[in-house]
Amino acid sequence: MNELGEFLKARRADLTPAAVGLPDLGRQRRVPGLRREEVAQLVAISTDYYVRLEQGRMQASAAVLDEIARVLRLDDDQRAYLFVLAGKESPTPRKPPRQKVQPQLQRLLDELATAPAFVIGRRTDILAWNAMGAALITDFGRIPEKERMFIRLLFTDPAMRTLYADWEGVTRAALAQLRMESSRYPDDARLAALVGELSVTDAQFRQWWAAHDVATRGTGVKKLHHPVVGDLTLDWSAFACPTDPDQQIIIWTAPAGSPTHDGLRLLSSWAADAHHQAPNSVT
């Protein structure tokens, strides 16, 4: 079966001439959507070239595939799939969209009464969090959105160096994860600005970033010295967000009956009291 041809036919069928700026000549159309010759016209290639491409008798260049993706209004996932079917290296997505957290995900975080949790984005942006996440790490709501990046907090907030028992290990791991994720968006201006800022202000950042270490997020254990509830040993797990693979949900837990589990319950009560005392705070 010619998967590439079937995919292109399906995407042609999703569009009308009017949707891509072609005049409607009023003729009866035998098939829904765009004709092959109309796609070829918009891509600026010959109809014969396009027909052979759909039939699997021609290999297109990356530039032609990119034009076809543009004409057929493919999103980033569809565009990447087109390149895979054509046997080409998956392209770097266009300018990455602004990341947002779905309301249902925020509700899920809020339901975790005793488990700290937050959502981290492609530049280690903290995109969402629950009350326990704020109580465990910091009040993210008081940090301007453009500065609310986990890696930036690790280097610029002195409290982070006290909070994490192994601050260097945590920070170097976070940098390796950022390096791995940033490879998908090499032209990200905000990431470049972040790296530039920290390179100027922190010698350790310069040294560790230059090491080009890479890692992915999965699971692990972190030891914390919390100013309210004392020492904690927390298991953490990262889960990919189904609506945006560049978002990950980080949840911290501890075995039931352990001292850390008791500490989280105490922290939950403390966070609830602090919230009632400051009803206008953002959590």
Side-chain angles (χ1 to χ4, degrees), residues 13-29:
D14 289 339
L15 297 172
T16 63
V20 295
L22 292 176
D24 186 354
L25 302 179
R27 293 180 296 185
Q28 184 70 29
R29 304 180 73 87

Side-chain angles (χ1 to χ4, degrees), residues 2 9 30 57 86 91 105 174 221 231 236 252 270:
N2 178 14
K9 289 177 187 177
R30 290 178 295 177
R57 297 187 293 118
L105 179 53
V221 178
D231 291 347
W236 65 272
W252 309 59
W270 176 84

